[in-house]
Every structure is written in structure tokens, then in C-alpha cells.
Amino acid sequence: QQQVKQSPQSLIVQKGGISIINCAYENTAFDYFPWYQQFPGKGPALLIAIRPDVSEKKEGRFTISFNKSAKQFSLHIMDSQPGDSATYFCAASWAGTALIFGKGTTLSVSS
Amino acid sequence: KAGVTQTPRYLIKTRGQQVTLSCSPISGHRSVSWYQQTPGQGLQFLFEYFSETQRNKGNFPGRFSGRQFSNSRSEMNVSTLELGDSALYLCASSTQPGPTSYEQYFGPGTRLTVT
């Protein structure tokens, strides 16, 4: 019940295309859903986050879509660029406690 | 504002030894969490400290321990190292735990290799 399931494991997208990464959770007590971006040799960087009272949040080319009834949330990267090539992690937490991470998605944007 | 700093960045230890890793949070942040990242298990929560007190603990053996100092700096210790402890150890800081502030910012990590 504490798991966050992330898919796909890897993703190849053409430059300018849309990258979509999906996550699903079971614990309905989760109330914070962030996405992190990690480049090789670096720590994860907070990209964007959403609370369950909002169905969508957009920041620049990054959008989180949240479906509370389906217990799913996704990250959309519009106009994907080679510089977006990284590993993306979804996560969830409850009341500010430990982040539970998905297994990660390796995104490659080809030019 | 400086980010989360972790020292050392790289460490090689032998099985059976112990190791101490250090983390300095972002200025003004009082909560520090530690995570272990491995290719097989991904990112897993170790423990969280706030005001020098352990607030939350993940599912790791007692060989893993930590502490936090009055200046919010934190250390984690792993005793009797095993090969499986080889991982990237990440520290994350936030202003404080609880529902008013969830954002956690990660440091670059300490790469521990156990031989």
C-alpha cells in the first residue's frame, strides 16, 4: 500500500514531442505528489509538485495531471528538448513524512 | 542561497568497517532526511531529523543510524558495512516537517563503495 508504481521504465521521444510519464498509488492518505529530475552524478531536483485538491498544475513546459479517483498522476513535458534527457522520479508523501519514490523513468530526447 | 552540501562526495570502504557521512542543509532549513539510492531498489527513505530528534525512520537495519546537531547539520553512520550497502546516499532538507512545508531539496549525494 505504500508503493508508488511508475511507468514506463524508459522513454525515447523526438525533439519537440511530448513526454508522458505515469504513476499510480494505493494509499489514499498521500497528500503531496512531487516529481524530481535527476541527471547523472547529481542529486534529484524538485521539478513540480501537486496536492490532491488540484487536478492539474503547469509550470512552463511541465504539467502534472492528477486523477484522484483513479489514484494516478502523470508528468507531461511539452516540446521536449535534448536537455530534458534525464531520469524522472515521481513520489508521494503523507503529512510531510518520508517521500515514497517510484522506480524512475529514463527519458532520452533525440535531436 | 547555497544548496544542500554533502561530504565526502565519494568514499571507498571495506566490509566490516564503519562510515560517517555528513550533510549541511540549506540555510534556514531545520529538517533533514536521508535516502539510499541503488539501481535495484531505487530511492528508499532512511530517516528524518528535526530539532535534533529522529522524527521518522525507514525500514533499514539498526546498523544505519543518524543524528542532527543544533545547527541542523546531520550525520549518518553505517556500522559493520556490507557489500549491499554500496549506494548513493542522499540528504534532503526542508524548512520543517509537517503539512505546512513538504518541499524537500536534495544534495548531490555521497557515493559509497564497499569492497
Side-chain angles (χ1 to χ4, degrees):
Chain A
Q1 197 177 17
Q2 283 292 90
Q3 285 186 332
V4 176
K5 295 183 179 179
Q6 183 172 346
S7 63
Q9 188 174 356
S10 62
L11 184 60
I12 300 174
V13 173
Q14 295 268 16
K15 179 182 176 182
I18 302 173
S19 303
I20 302 174
I21 305 171
N22 301 299
C23 283
Y25 63 97
E26 289 295 324
N27 189 348
T28 56
F30 286 145
D31 60 359
Y32 174 68
F33 303 88
W35 285 89
Y36 282 84
Q37 178 190 56
Q38 187 176 28
F39 292 104
K42 305 286 187 182
L46 179 62
L47 201 56
I48 186 172
I50 199 168
R51 300 286 181 98
D53 54 345
V54 176
S55 62
E56 186 175 282
K57 183 175 181 180
K58 183 177 180 179
E59 289 186 3
R61 296 184 295 109
F62 301 92
T63 300
I64 297 180
S65 296
F66 187 82
N67 187 329
K68 189 174 182 178
S69 60
K71 291 184 284 186
Q72 295 175 348
F73 59 110
S74 60
L75 175 69
H76 296 234
I77 306 175
M78 312 299 287
D79 187 26
S80 298
Q81 299 297 312
D84 296 331
S85 298
T87 301
Y88 292 82
F89 294 93
C90 63
S93 73
W94 168 72
T97 56
L99 288 168
I100 308 298
F101 284 89
K103 292 294 188 183
T105 297
T106 301
L107 171 65
S108 295
V109 180
S110 60
S111 54
Chain B
K1 187 183 272 192
V4 177
T5 58
Q6 292 187 245
T7 57
R9 291 293 313 279
Y10 303 92
L11 207 49
I12 299 175
K13 289 287 187 179
T14 304
R15 267 183 305 174
Q17 288 186 315
Q18 74 165 14
V19 66
T20 299
L21 313 181
S22 180
C23 170
S24 293
I26 293 171
S27 178
H29 285 196
R30 297 168 59 198
S31 177
V32 173
S33 297
W34 288 88
Y35 294 82
Q36 181 196 63
Q37 185 174 25
T38 59
Q41 298 300 317
L43 281 148
Q44 293 185 288
F45 171 75
L46 280 157
F47 26 66
E48 178 190 13
Y49 287 87
F50 175 73
S51 292
E52 303 177 64
T53 301
Q54 187 179 89
R55 183 173 176 265
N56 203 357
K57 189 177 191 306
N59 188 26
F60 278 81
R63 300 185 297 106
F64 292 81
S65 63
R67 59 177 176 168
Q68 186 181 35
F69 302 95
S70 58
N71 62 357
S72 295
R73 192 177 68 86
S74 176
E75 288 181 348
M76 69 162 281
N77 183 275
V78 187
S79 63
T80 319
L81 284 166
E82 301 177 359
L83 294 178
D85 297 333
S86 295
L88 180 66
Y89 290 88
L90 293 158
C91 167
S93 76
S94 59
T95 53
Q96 59 186 40
T100 59
S101 175
Y102 287 51
E103 295 183 356
Q104 294 189 28
Y105 297 90
F106 284 82
T110 293
R111 172 73 63 185
L112 171 65
T113 302
V114 182
T115 62

